mmCIF file with all atom_site columns, all heavy atoms in Angstrom:
data_model
loop_
_atom_site.group_PDB
_atom_site.id
_atom_site.type_symbol
_atom_site.label_atom_id
_atom_site.label_alt_id
_atom_site.label_comp_id
_atom_site.label_asym_id
_atom_site.label_entity_id
_atom_site.label_seq_id
_atom_site.pdbx_PDB_ins_code
_atom_site.Cartn_x
_atom_site.Cartn_y
_atom_site.Cartn_z
_atom_site.occupancy
_atom_site.B_iso_or_equiv
_atom_site.pdbx_formal_charge
_atom_site.auth_seq_id
_atom_site.auth_comp_id
_atom_site.auth_asym_id
_atom_site.auth_atom_id
_atom_site.pdbx_PDB_model_num
ATOM 1  N N   . HIS I 1 80 ? 8.153  35.222 -31.264 1.00 0.00 ? 80 HIS I N   1
ATOM 2  C CA  . HIS I 1 80 ? 9.385  35.516 -31.943 1.00 0.00 ? 80 HIS I CA  1
ATOM 3  C C   . HIS I 1 80 ? 9.965  34.443 -32.843 1.00 0.00 ? 80 HIS I C   1
ATOM 4  O O   . HIS I 1 80 ? 10.816 34.726 -33.688 1.00 0.00 ? 80 HIS I O   1
ATOM 5  C CB  . HIS I 1 80 ? 10.456 35.937 -30.925 1.00 0.00 ? 80 HIS I CB  1
ATOM 6  C CG  . HIS I 1 80 ? 10.026 37.082 -30.071 1.00 0.00 ? 80 HIS I CG  1
ATOM 7  N ND1 . HIS I 1 80 ? 9.944  38.399 -30.525 1.00 0.00 ? 80 HIS I ND1 1
ATOM 8  C CD2 . HIS I 1 80 ? 9.602  37.128 -28.795 1.00 0.00 ? 80 HIS I CD2 1
ATOM 9  C CE1 . HIS I 1 80 ? 9.561  39.210 -29.554 1.00 0.00 ? 80 HIS I CE1 1
ATOM 10 N NE2 . HIS I 1 80 ? 9.327  38.456 -28.500 1.00 0.00 ? 80 HIS I NE2 1
ATOM 11 N N   . ARG I 1 81 ? 9.550  33.188 -32.670 1.00 0.00 ? 81 ARG I N   1
ATOM 12 C CA  . ARG I 1 81 ? 10.130 32.091 -33.423 1.00 0.00 ? 81 ARG I CA  1
ATOM 13 C C   . ARG I 1 81 ? 9.204  31.210 -34.194 1.00 0.00 ? 81 ARG I C   1
ATOM 14 O O   . ARG I 1 81 ? 9.618  30.553 -35.132 1.00 0.00 ? 81 ARG I O   1
ATOM 15 C CB  . ARG I 1 81 ? 10.963 31.180 -32.485 1.00 0.00 ? 81 ARG I CB  1
ATOM 16 C CG  . ARG I 1 81 ? 12.205 31.896 -31.927 1.00 0.00 ? 81 ARG I CG  1
ATOM 17 C CD  . ARG I 1 81 ? 13.244 32.023 -33.002 1.00 0.00 ? 81 ARG I CD  1
ATOM 18 N NE  . ARG I 1 81 ? 14.471 32.583 -32.417 1.00 0.00 ? 81 ARG I NE  1
ATOM 19 C CZ  . ARG I 1 81 ? 15.006 33.743 -32.774 1.00 0.00 ? 81 ARG I CZ  1
ATOM 20 N NH1 . ARG I 1 81 ? 14.426 34.468 -33.682 1.00 0.00 ? 81 ARG I NH1 1
ATOM 21 N NH2 . ARG I 1 81 ? 16.093 34.136 -32.220 1.00 0.00 ? 81 ARG I NH2 1
ATOM 22 N N   . ALA I 1 82 ? 7.932  31.182 -33.868 1.00 0.00 ? 82 ALA I N   1
ATOM 23 C CA  . ALA I 1 82 ? 7.000  30.332 -34.570 1.00 0.00 ? 82 ALA I CA  1
ATOM 24 C C   . ALA I 1 82 ? 6.785  30.919 -35.952 1.00 0.00 ? 82 ALA I C   1
ATOM 25 O O   . ALA I 1 82 ? 6.389  32.038 -36.107 1.00 0.00 ? 82 ALA I O   1
ATOM 26 C CB  . ALA I 1 82 ? 5.671  30.245 -33.820 1.00 0.00 ? 82 ALA I CB  1
ATOM 27 N N   . ILE I 1 83 ? 7.085  30.116 -36.994 1.00 0.00 ? 83 ILE I N   1
ATOM 28 C CA  . ILE I 1 83 ? 6.877  30.521 -38.340 1.00 0.00 ? 83 ILE I CA  1
ATOM 29 C C   . ILE I 1 83 ? 6.213  29.447 -39.153 1.00 0.00 ? 83 ILE I C   1
ATOM 30 O O   . ILE I 1 83 ? 6.332  28.251 -38.813 1.00 0.00 ? 83 ILE I O   1
ATOM 31 C CB  . ILE I 1 83 ? 8.177  30.947 -39.033 1.00 0.00 ? 83 ILE I CB  1
ATOM 32 C CG1 . ILE I 1 83 ? 9.218  29.774 -39.050 1.00 0.00 ? 83 ILE I CG1 1
ATOM 33 C CG2 . ILE I 1 83 ? 8.786  32.177 -38.378 1.00 0.00 ? 83 ILE I CG2 1
ATOM 34 C CD1 . ILE I 1 83 ? 10.402 30.028 -39.896 1.00 0.00 ? 83 ILE I CD1 1
ATOM 35 N N   . HIS I 1 84 ? 5.567  29.807 -40.158 1.00 0.00 ? 84 HIS I N   1
ATOM 36 C CA  . HIS I 1 84 ? 4.986  28.853 -41.148 1.00 0.00 ? 84 HIS I CA  1
ATOM 37 C C   . HIS I 1 84 ? 5.624  29.151 -42.493 1.00 0.00 ? 84 HIS I C   1
ATOM 38 O O   . HIS I 1 84 ? 5.716  30.321 -42.873 1.00 0.00 ? 84 HIS I O   1
ATOM 39 C CB  . HIS I 1 84 ? 3.437  29.012 -41.205 1.00 0.00 ? 84 HIS I CB  1
ATOM 40 C CG  . HIS I 1 84 ? 2.761  27.916 -41.923 1.00 0.00 ? 84 HIS I CG  1
ATOM 41 N ND1 . HIS I 1 84 ? 2.767  27.829 -43.330 1.00 0.00 ? 84 HIS I ND1 1
ATOM 42 C CD2 . HIS I 1 84 ? 2.055  26.833 -41.482 1.00 0.00 ? 84 HIS I CD2 1
ATOM 43 C CE1 . HIS I 1 84 ? 2.114  26.748 -43.677 1.00 0.00 ? 84 HIS I CE1 1
ATOM 44 N NE2 . HIS I 1 84 ? 1.626  26.162 -42.548 1.00 0.00 ? 84 HIS I NE2 1
ATOM 45 N N   . PRO I 1 85 ? 6.082  28.146 -43.229 1.00 0.00 ? 85 PRO I N   1
ATOM 46 C CA  . PRO I 1 85 ? 6.781  28.418 -44.458 1.00 0.00 ? 85 PRO I CA  1
ATOM 47 C C   . PRO I 1 85 ? 5.890  29.024 -45.575 1.00 0.00 ? 85 PRO I C   1
ATOM 48 O O   . PRO I 1 85 ? 6.449  29.619 -46.514 1.00 0.00 ? 85 PRO I O   1
ATOM 49 C CB  . PRO I 1 85 ? 7.271  27.013 -44.895 1.00 0.00 ? 85 PRO I CB  1
ATOM 50 C CG  . PRO I 1 85 ? 6.418  26.063 -44.186 1.00 0.00 ? 85 PRO I CG  1
ATOM 51 C CD  . PRO I 1 85 ? 6.005  26.706 -42.888 1.00 0.00 ? 85 PRO I CD  1
ATOM 52 N N   . ALA I 1 86 ? 4.629  28.916 -45.470 1.00 0.00 ? 86 ALA I N   1
ATOM 53 C CA  . ALA I 1 86 ? 3.754  29.449 -46.525 1.00 0.00 ? 86 ALA I CA  1
ATOM 54 C C   . ALA I 1 86 ? 2.825  30.587 -46.106 1.00 0.00 ? 86 ALA I C   1
ATOM 55 O O   . ALA I 1 86 ? 2.168  31.188 -46.991 1.00 0.00 ? 86 ALA I O   1
ATOM 56 C CB  . ALA I 1 86 ? 2.885  28.281 -47.103 1.00 0.00 ? 86 ALA I CB  1
ATOM 57 N N   . HIS I 1 87 ? 2.792  30.876 -44.844 1.00 0.00 ? 87 HIS I N   1
ATOM 58 C CA  . HIS I 1 87 ? 1.834  31.923 -44.373 1.00 0.00 ? 87 HIS I CA  1
ATOM 59 C C   . HIS I 1 87 ? 2.509  32.794 -43.290 1.00 0.00 ? 87 HIS I C   1
ATOM 60 O O   . HIS I 1 87 ? 3.312  32.325 -42.500 1.00 0.00 ? 87 HIS I O   1
ATOM 61 C CB  . HIS I 1 87 ? 0.591  31.292 -43.748 1.00 0.00 ? 87 HIS I CB  1
ATOM 62 C CG  . HIS I 1 87 ? -0.167 30.462 -44.693 1.00 0.00 ? 87 HIS I CG  1
ATOM 63 N ND1 . HIS I 1 87 ? -1.044 30.940 -45.606 1.00 0.00 ? 87 HIS I ND1 1
ATOM 64 C CD2 . HIS I 1 87 ? -0.171 29.124 -44.889 1.00 0.00 ? 87 HIS I CD2 1
ATOM 65 C CE1 . HIS I 1 87 ? -1.560 29.931 -46.346 1.00 0.00 ? 87 HIS I CE1 1
ATOM 66 N NE2 . HIS I 1 87 ? -1.027 28.791 -45.911 1.00 0.00 ? 87 HIS I NE2 1
ATOM 67 N N   . GLU I 1 88 ? 2.102  34.021 -43.241 1.00 0.00 ? 88 GLU I N   1
ATOM 68 C CA  . GLU I 1 88 ? 2.492  34.889 -42.167 1.00 0.00 ? 88 GLU I CA  1
ATOM 69 C C   . GLU I 1 88 ? 1.541  34.646 -41.006 1.00 0.00 ? 88 GLU I C   1
ATOM 70 O O   . GLU I 1 88 ? 0.318  34.633 -41.171 1.00 0.00 ? 88 GLU I O   1
ATOM 71 C CB  . GLU I 1 88 ? 2.406  36.366 -42.561 1.00 0.00 ? 88 GLU I CB  1
ATOM 72 C CG  . GLU I 1 88 ? 2.967  37.287 -41.496 1.00 0.00 ? 88 GLU I CG  1
ATOM 73 C CD  . GLU I 1 88 ? 3.015  38.707 -41.984 1.00 0.00 ? 88 GLU I CD  1
ATOM 74 O OE1 . GLU I 1 88 ? 3.180  38.941 -43.197 1.00 0.00 ? 88 GLU I OE1 1
ATOM 75 O OE2 . GLU I 1 88 ? 2.925  39.576 -41.139 1.00 0.00 ? 88 GLU I OE2 1
ATOM 76 N N   . LEU I 1 89 ? 2.085  34.399 -39.827 1.00 0.00 ? 89 LEU I N   1
ATOM 77 C CA  . LEU I 1 89 ? 1.260  34.136 -38.652 1.00 0.00 ? 89 LEU I CA  1
ATOM 78 C C   . LEU I 1 89 ? 1.054  35.490 -37.938 1.00 0.00 ? 89 LEU I C   1
ATOM 79 O O   . LEU I 1 89 ? 1.938  35.987 -37.234 1.00 0.00 ? 89 LEU I O   1
ATOM 80 C CB  . LEU I 1 89 ? 1.972  33.132 -37.703 1.00 0.00 ? 89 LEU I CB  1
ATOM 81 C CG  . LEU I 1 89 ? 2.271  31.799 -38.318 1.00 0.00 ? 89 LEU I CG  1
ATOM 82 C CD1 . LEU I 1 89 ? 3.093  30.937 -37.349 1.00 0.00 ? 89 LEU I CD1 1
ATOM 83 C CD2 . LEU I 1 89 ? 1.008  31.072 -38.754 1.00 0.00 ? 89 LEU I CD2 1
ATOM 84 N N   . ASN I 1 90 ? -0.096 36.121 -38.161 1.00 0.00 ? 90 ASN I N   1
ATOM 85 C CA  . ASN I 1 90 ? -0.303 37.436 -37.621 1.00 0.00 ? 90 ASN I CA  1
ATOM 86 C C   . ASN I 1 90 ? -1.459 37.474 -36.622 1.00 0.00 ? 90 ASN I C   1
ATOM 87 O O   . ASN I 1 90 ? -1.769 38.551 -36.086 1.00 0.00 ? 90 ASN I O   1
ATOM 88 C CB  . ASN I 1 90 ? -0.505 38.484 -38.701 1.00 0.00 ? 90 ASN I CB  1
ATOM 89 C CG  . ASN I 1 90 ? -1.596 38.063 -39.687 1.00 0.00 ? 90 ASN I CG  1
ATOM 90 O OD1 . ASN I 1 90 ? -2.389 37.210 -39.374 1.00 0.00 ? 90 ASN I OD1 1
ATOM 91 N ND2 . ASN I 1 90 ? -1.579 38.656 -40.849 1.00 0.00 ? 90 ASN I ND2 1
ATOM 92 N N   . THR I 1 91 ? -2.105 36.353 -36.320 1.00 0.00 ? 91 THR I N   1
ATOM 93 C CA  . THR I 1 91 ? -3.188 36.319 -35.309 1.00 0.00 ? 91 THR I CA  1
ATOM 94 C C   . THR I 1 91 ? -2.852 35.207 -34.338 1.00 0.00 ? 91 THR I C   1
ATOM 95 O O   . THR I 1 91 ? -2.532 34.108 -34.736 1.00 0.00 ? 91 THR I O   1
ATOM 96 C CB  . THR I 1 91 ? -4.522 36.026 -36.006 1.00 0.00 ? 91 THR I CB  1
ATOM 97 O OG1 . THR I 1 91 ? -4.812 37.038 -36.968 1.00 0.00 ? 91 THR I OG1 1
ATOM 98 C CG2 . THR I 1 91 ? -5.644 35.998 -35.003 1.00 0.00 ? 91 THR I CG2 1
#
Side-chain angles (χ1 to χ4, degrees):
H80 303 286
R81 292 288 185 242
I83 60 169
H84 192 284
H87 300 280
E88 185 173 333
L89 302 174
N90 53 19
T91 302

